[in-house]
Amino acid sequence: MSLRPLPALQDNYIWLLADAAGRAMVVDPGEAAPVLAAAGDLDLVAILLTHHHPDHIAGTAALLERWPHAQVFAPRDERIPGPCRRVADRERVEIGPWAFEAIAVPGHTRSHVAYFGEGLLFCGDTLFSLGCGRLFEGSPAQMHASLAKLAVLPADTRVCCGHEYTEANARFALAVEPGNRELQEHADAVRELRANDHPSLPGTLEIERACNPFLRVDAPGIRASLERHLGRGMRDSVEAFAELRAWKDGFKG
Ligand SMILES: [Zn+2]
């Protein structure tokens, strides 16, 4: 099994998974060209879509022209054109040799789903390395709950995000939790990878749990930073998450 992030558009990744027999699937093809260029003789059997934003779905039609038998999986959302199989929360998705579970993760959009299986998590614009998606259609409580569903997956899960935002996210994470040693080390490793034009992804969920401030809103160091930033305390985790997200939205690192 081989897994590759194909850079697309500005800073998107289209994830390409292939097996030894030449069967392949892609996640979130925001454009077709990188997939057509990378596919070679691969037989694309499935296209998984996490949410309706064009930079995640716009290449789908062109891929179906080349591989008309490929099956498309997508959340229930009329803004994603058919034909496709609509997935519900906790629905099992079988694709050739692979099996995934769809997980509803509203917040970035109301119908966003993630796909977990084969030790991989395709999380679109919900969980980023060292960050999380912006709240376009959901509440902080929804996004906080969605991230909590992903955070409990196995520690060695490889996290396949929709964008290469890690370096900028690291600057914010370090501003929020400067004393986090694992974060300092991981941020150094990310800078090195990016300086050599390598993807920072996929990392592991273990790293995210140790370093991503949006999965750590109850950590004492983060609460202390938030209290300094706001000049007051917070009622609960959801409020801390909301304030952290708002801080990031205005952060110029
Ligand atoms: Zn999006």
Side-chain angles (χ1 to χ4, degrees):
M1 183 171 94
S2 77
L3 175 72
R4 288 171 60 191
L6 307 178
L9 302 169
Q10 283 283 94
D11 44 29
N12 283 74
Y13 284 133
I14 301 167
W15 291 91
L16 172 67
L17 185 66
D19 74 353
R23 285 171 296 193
M25 54 167 260
V26 291
V27 183
D28 284 356
E31 59 178 340
V35 180
L36 295 169
D41 293 333
L42 292 173
D43 178 27
L44 190 72
V45 296
I47 299 168
L48 274 60
L49 307 177
T50 63
H51 68 294
H52 74 281
H53 286 156
D55 62 316
H56 293 255
I57 69 171
T60 304
L63 295 181
L64 288 173
E65 279 175 30
R66 163 96 186 261
W67 294 282
H69 59 279
Q71 198 172 6
V72 182
F73 296 86
R76 295 177 204 281
D77 191 314
E78 70 287 352
R79 296 169 294 184
I80 299 176
C84 54
R85 190 175 133 199
R86 306 290 173 173
V87 297
D89 189 29
R90 302 296 173 185
E91 189 170 337
R92 190 177 159 86
V93 170
E94 289 187 24
I95 299 158
W98 305 297
F100 295 91
E101 180 186 20
I103 304 173
V105 285
H108 177 67
T109 69
R110 59 179 154 78
S111 64
H112 198 303
V113 298
Y115 299 92
F116 170 69
E118 312 297 334
L120 309 173
L121 174 65
F122 298 108
C123 44
D125 290 356
T126 296
L127 174 63
F128 292 125
S129 184
L130 306 182
C132 76
R134 284 177 185 265
L135 304 183
F136 288 124
E137 299 178 2
S139 66
Q142 272 181 324
M143 188 62 146
H144 182 252
S146 292
L147 291 172
K149 287 165 94 172
L150 303 182
V152 297
L153 295 171
D156 60 355
T157 300
R158 290 197 286 167
V159 182
C160 306
C161 316
H163 290 268
E164 179 62 75
Y165 288 159
T166 318
E167 210 173 356
N169 287 344
R171 286 193 285 275
F172 177 70
L174 285 165
V176 172
E177 203 180 17
N180 182 333
R181 277 283 303 278
E182 280 173 275
L183 170 60
Q184 293 162 7
E185 285 168 18
H186 186 60
D188 286 344
V190 166
R191 264 193 298 273
E192 172 103 25
L193 284 168
R194 296 305 297 147
N196 292 302
D197 210 24
H198 293 306
S200 68
L201 307 173
T204 64
L205 202 52
E206 184 171 29
I207 292 172
E208 297 309 317
R209 285 204 288 252
C211 303
N212 186 328
F214 293 95
L215 301 185
R216 301 171 53 73
V217 297
D218 297 327
I222 291 184
R223 283 298 183 96
S225 287
L226 275 168
E227 285 176 19
R228 266 197 307 279
H229 177 70
L230 296 167
R232 62 172 173 82
M234 277 140 289
R235 281 187 308 276
D236 55 23
S237 309
V238 171
E239 187 184 2
F241 175 81
E243 294 296 352
L244 191 65
R245 185 60 257 182
W247 185 1
K248 172 77 161 59
D249 288 343
F251 183 74
K252 304 273 183 281

